[in-house]
Amino acid sequence: MAKIGRNHSCPCGSGKKYKHCCLPLEKEGKILSPMAQLRVSLLAEIEKIQVDAAVGQAVFRELGVFIFFSQSNGDAWVLEASESDAVQVAAKGTPLAAPVEENPETIEVNWSHTFALKERRLFVTAYANKEEKELPDAPTQQINAALRRIMERYSKTLLDRVHVHSDSPESGGS
């Protein structure tokens, strides 16, 4: 995630420049910074999807460029649309540590996998060992529709600004 400049479009989606929209409110302490808002929202959505997975409920959600889904087998995943990154956040109903770190300028998600839709099936490939596996019963139709919506909603320039590559080739950090 890149630092938001004063002259960039405001991440709230108003269409105004950041300096004329949320920046003054942030400085007055009336709202959280966009980075803090995203971190709170991202962690809150991860916690929600982990709860859904714990009770075996199949749920699908979107937040910006992120897709969250849980499956009836207790697994839950977060997908990032711009670079096809993925990370598992629950396994067999047990929540896994949220791989989200932050500093004042960025929020980093330590992605463990990439994902791909092939022949209406979802596959994830681990960064660590390049092992590919299918996620049976994944909501592939909903994921495909969400990916189309995200690519239509956000410009390529904005999507490129959202994703910052780490220096480590085996890490999927953004």
Side-chain angles (χ1 to χ4, degrees):
M1 180 105 358
K3 183 177 178 181
I4 300 164
R6 292 172 42 82
N7 289 315
H8 287 128
S9 296
C10 191
C12 77
S14 67
K16 298 178 184 177
K17 288 186 178 183
Y18 178 50
K19 67 184 178 184
H20 295 300
C21 190
C22 288
L23 180 61
L25 296 172
E26 178 188 332
K27 285 184 176 181
E28 293 174 20
K30 292 182 179 177
I31 63 169
L32 294 173
S33 72
M35 289 304 218
Q37 288 174 22
L38 180 57
R39 181 176 187 278
V40 168
S41 298
L42 186 59
L43 289 174
E45 286 302 318
I46 289 172
E47 289 173 8
K48 285 181 199 174
I49 209 72
Q50 288 172 328
V51 168
D52 295 329
V55 297
Q57 187 174 5
V59 174
F60 181 89
R61 294 188 183 96
E62 289 178 58
L63 174 68
V65 297
F66 300 104
I67 298 169
F68 306 80
F69 71 92
S70 60
Q71 298 175 277
S72 57
N73 68 359
D75 289 353
W77 288 80
V78 178
L79 310 178
E80 192 272 335
S82 71
E83 294 278 327
S84 299
D85 286 319
V87 66
Q88 189 171 12
V89 294
K92 297 180 182 170
T94 302
L96 304 174
V100 179
E101 298 175 20
E102 72 169 329
N103 68 45
E105 294 185 4
T106 61
I107 296 170
E108 183 176 323
V109 179
N110 294 313
W111 303 105
S112 57
H113 295 76
T114 61
F115 74 91
L117 292 171
K118 301 176 189 174
E119 299 174 4
R120 298 182 182 185
R121 300 179 345 209
L122 179 65
F123 292 86
V124 293
T125 303
Y127 277 114
N129 60 10
K130 304 297 182 213
E131 180 182 332
E132 181 183 72
K133 70 177 182 177
E134 181 182 358
L135 299 182
D137 303 320
T140 55
Q141 194 169 20
Q142 289 175 296
I143 292 168
N144 191 38
L147 291 172
R148 282 195 315 269
R149 279 191 301 274
I150 290 166
M151 295 307 166
E152 289 172 3
R153 187 179 306 139
Y154 301 104
S155 69
K156 177 158 177 29
T157 304
L158 182 59
L159 290 173
D160 289 344
R161 273 195 1 228
V162 167
H163 202 280
V164 177
H165 298 275
S166 74
D167 295 334
S168 170
E170 59 212 37
S171 167
S174 78

